[in-house]
Amino acid sequence: MVPIRSLVSLATLRDAIPAAAAATAVLAVTLYVAESYQIPYLPSQAIDATSSVLSPGGLSRLMSFVGELGKAFTFAGILALQFAIFVVAWLLAMRWRQPGDAGVTIRRALGCSAIIAAVFLVIAGFFALAADTATVQGWQWAEFAGLTAVGAVLFCALAELIRWALVWRRTPGTAPQPAAADRTRVLSRRRLLAGGAAWALVIAAGAPAWYLGKSVAATARTGVLRALDGIWSPEITPTPDFYVVSKNLDGFDPDVEIQSWRLRVDGLVSEERTLQLEDLQALPTTRDYNTLICISYRIGGRLISNASWTGAALRDVLALAGPLPEATHLRFTSADDYTESLPLAAAMDPDVRLVWLMNDEPLTRKHGYPLRAIVPGRYGMKNPKWITDLTLLDQDHAGYWVERGWSSTAFIQTMSRFDVPARMAEVQAGPAGLRGIAFGGDRGIQAIEVSLDGGETWRAARVHPALSDYSWVRWEYDYTASPGPYHFVVRAIDGDGVPQIMERRDPLPEGATGYHVRPIRVREST
């Protein structure tokens, strides 16, 4: 049996040091280039593939386990896989080293580059096939292959240079005695193992920390503070605070150039049309308030916001092309290959719009610039961003999230939430207040009830008027707090008089249901 220590030789560990340093640098550079120029990246494909291959039940369990950190974990895992491929390929290439070979060897660097590029392309192809997606096709394959090849060559060249700079040379006549040499080798191996473990921890922790840092910097104000820190949501969510969800990794959303952007209306139409933004803006325009909520919203969560939207009725846009009588459904296609559909009858509702202004300003990149859909009464998945194509069909089309087990209709479940007090807060005895929001989709909210005793008894809260038929409401209830622990509960009754569903259900597949419960403790007044 081969001793473990012989498998982790000092020479191998020494060879791994330049590989680890070069891999860290090259991964950072290629990630920056991929994000800056919207080139397909392995973590994006991995997310698509994972969500495609898992069954709805498996996807639901995975989401319950990782929550909103799913993308960060996937990103970190794929980054670690790329790091490992770099290092292993380098160690394999080092086997070609000749005795006394201390300089830079072009042959070895090119061989190592070929190994890495081939492995990366095979993995990318697997992810693309598993996801059954067009994420990496055509010219995008050329971009991805080019970036992969350049990254592989850069890595191997950099690793060779670092190895050459750090190569150990023995000075004749200064070798220690055998016993001391053995001790030196063991200590050096331990130092290298400890250093390698530390480096691995930096990579493992730094990758998700970097990704989460970007996400937090962009979205930390989108409701986390309001949901957890006891701040009452305003009637209108400022655009920087509006929640953001897409199928893409943070930073890899489409960056659409308005000069080249066009909206194509095709399929079962009398005349295919290609429209510019100016053509849409020439149609009758409306401005109204609509609340958006993500279908993956969890009870008491943050993925809900309210804003004003300005745009044209979708039916007016479709009328420019003339839908044929046999058309029954409309498919949306976005710049990131996201697809979604609506029954044509629903799409012809005058309140379904294509919008280009959000809170009276042009849409931001994250919110769908230059054009997105607003579909009242449906979860965010039915409100696609970065729209490039409207296609009339004679049958339904299973969109991106529908293919992954989510609802095909995505009608919004009635929800209500505490904003004030904060979760696990301590409230001083005396006059106090409960504050929050509620939303019933296109049904509106008729009443809000709160319970101070865990649902045993209910009291009516004051409901503020909604800004529109499709906007959330803010509610409040004042009470006198007595010392002790409490479990506050809130429930809503929608505009049709139907109470909010009490049973707790996961978001997948039809959206979360259940009452929001907020435990607090009231302390003696001082």
Side-chain angles (χ1 to χ4, degrees):
M1 189 170 180
V2 181
I4 293 178
R5 283 175 55 182
S6 67
L7 296 177
V8 188
S9 67
L10 185 61
T12 300
L13 290 171
R14 284 173 173 171
D15 288 339
I17 288 177
T24 303
V26 170
L27 285 175
V29 170
T30 53
L31 176 60
Y32 172 79
V33 172
E35 181 176 345
S36 299
Y37 295 96
Q38 299 295 291
I39 297 174
Y41 202 58
L42 278 179
S44 299
Q45 296 166 258
I47 289 172
D48 283 351
T50 301
S51 59
S52 293
V53 171
L54 287 177
S55 66
L59 182 59
S60 178
R61 287 189 291 272
L62 179 63
M63 289 181 59
S64 297
F65 177 70
V66 300
E68 294 177 16
L69 300 179
K71 287 185 180 180
F73 281 125
T74 303
F75 175 84
I78 298 301
L79 204 62
L81 174 63
Q82 292 176 282
F83 182 85
I85 291 171
F86 275 131
V87 174
V88 170
W90 169 258
L91 293 177
L92 289 175
M94 290 300 291
R95 289 179 175 270
W96 302 337
R97 179 172 47 190
Q98 300 297 322
D101 180 11
V104 176
T105 303
I106 296 177
R107 176 178 61 86
R108 183 169 62 242
L110 291 177
C112 179
S113 303
I115 293 173
I116 293 171
V119 172
F120 275 11
L121 289 173
V122 168
I123 293 174
F126 168 77
F127 283 145
L129 290 174
D132 191 23
T133 180
T135 300
V136 184
Q137 288 186 4
W139 61 268
Q140 290 183 319
W141 261 115
E143 281 191 337
F144 179 82
L147 179 63
T148 299
V150 170
V153 172
L154 179 62
F155 161 74
C156 292
L158 184 59
E160 278 282 346
L161 289 172
I162 295 173
R163 185 193 68 80
W164 176 76
L166 298 180
V167 68
W168 279 265
R169 293 185 177 88
R170 287 179 179 242
T171 303
T174 60
Q177 296 300 315
D182 289 343
R183 285 196 296 272
T184 302
R185 287 177 60 85
V186 171
L187 289 174
S188 298
R189 182 178 293 124
R190 285 176 180 171
R191 287 197 203 99
L192 286 169
L193 283 172
W199 197 297
L201 284 174
V202 169
I203 295 296
W210 175 85
Y211 181 78
L212 284 174
K214 289 188 62 180
S215 300
V216 169
T219 64
R221 295 158 51 196
T222 63
V224 175
L225 298 180
R226 293 184 176 85
L228 302 182
D229 289 354
I231 301 175
W232 196 8
S233 299
E235 281 190 314
I236 303 169
T237 309
T239 300
D241 297 353
F242 204 99
Y243 85 88
V244 177
V245 170
S246 77
K247 74 178 185 65
N248 311 304
L249 282 171
D250 184 57
F252 284 82
D253 287 331
D255 191 4
V256 179
E257 294 290 340
I258 191 61
Q259 293 80 6
S260 59
W261 176 86
R262 298 293 184 271
L263 176 66
R264 184 172 60 185
V265 186
D266 59 7
L268 299 176
V269 295
S270 300
E271 178 187 3
E272 291 190 8
R273 297 295 301 269
T274 301
L275 306 172
Q276 297 181 354
L277 189 58
E278 293 81 1
D279 300 320
L280 302 179
Q281 293 170 337
L283 296 170
T285 300
T286 59
R287 175 185 182 276
D288 206 351
Y289 295 96
N290 290 77
T291 296
L292 291 182
I293 178 172
C294 183
I295 196 168
S296 59
Y297 169 89
R298 292 185 175 274
I299 301 303
R302 65 182 180 88
L303 300 179
I304 179 172
S305 303
N306 188 51
S308 70
W309 308 91
T310 302
L314 176 56
R315 69 177 183 179
D316 291 344
V317 178
L318 297 177
L320 297 175
L324 296 177
E326 56 266 34
T328 60
H329 287 79
L330 173 67
R331 181 183 68 205
F332 301 90
T333 304
S334 300
D336 61 348
D337 295 321
Y338 180 85
T339 61
E340 191 46 84
S341 70
L342 281 176
L344 185 56
M348 300 300 281
D349 186 308
D351 291 331
V352 176
R353 295 176 295 156
L354 298 180
V355 301
W356 49 85
L357 295 183
M358 175 184 182
N359 288 336
D360 302 319
E361 297 288 341
L363 292 167
T364 65
R365 174 185 173 186
K366 289 190 173 184
H367 293 296
Y369 179 83
L371 192 72
R372 72 169 300 161
I374 295 295
V375 184
R378 312 259 183 163
Y379 282 112
M381 60 179 281
K382 292 287 185 178
N383 297 251
K385 300 181 278 189
W386 312 292
I387 299 173
T388 58
D389 294 84
L390 301 173
T391 305
L392 278 297
L393 306 171
D394 59 1
Q395 58 185 347
D396 194 11
H397 166 81
Y400 180 89
W401 291 118
V402 176
E403 285 184 330
R404 287 155 176 77
W406 292 91
S407 172
S408 60
T409 57
F411 290 119
I412 293 172
Q413 306 278 3
T414 301
M415 61 75 65
S416 56
R417 184 185 77 189
F418 288 105
D419 286 344
V420 180
R423 185 177 65 178
M424 304 303 292
E426 283 197 359
V427 177
Q428 188 169 315
L434 305 176
R435 307 287 186 266
I437 60 165
F439 186 48
D442 56 357
R443 303 176 302 278
I445 295 294
Q446 183 181 110
I448 296 291
E449 296 178 333
V450 297
S451 174
L452 308 183
D453 52 15
E456 294 294 326
T457 59
W458 295 91
R459 312 175 188 194
R462 179 192 170 204
V463 180
H464 291 226
L467 293 177
S468 78
D469 292 339
Y470 307 124
S471 172
W472 66 19
V473 299
R474 301 166 83 225
W475 60 265
E476 58 181 317
Y477 179 81
D478 294 321
Y479 69 104
T480 300
S482 301
Y486 287 85
H487 280 81
F488 295 147
V489 188
V490 61
R491 67 184 181 188
I493 300 172
D494 71 18
D496 295 335
V498 179
Q500 180 179 346
I501 297 173
M502 181 176 65
E503 179 187 356
R504 275 193 172 261
R505 300 174 189 161
D506 286 338
L508 188 72
E510 299 291 341
T513 63
Y515 296 166
H516 188 206
V517 178
R518 175 135 290 177
I520 71 161
R521 178 173 293 277
V522 178
R523 65 177 183 272
E524 293 280 1
S525 59
T526 56

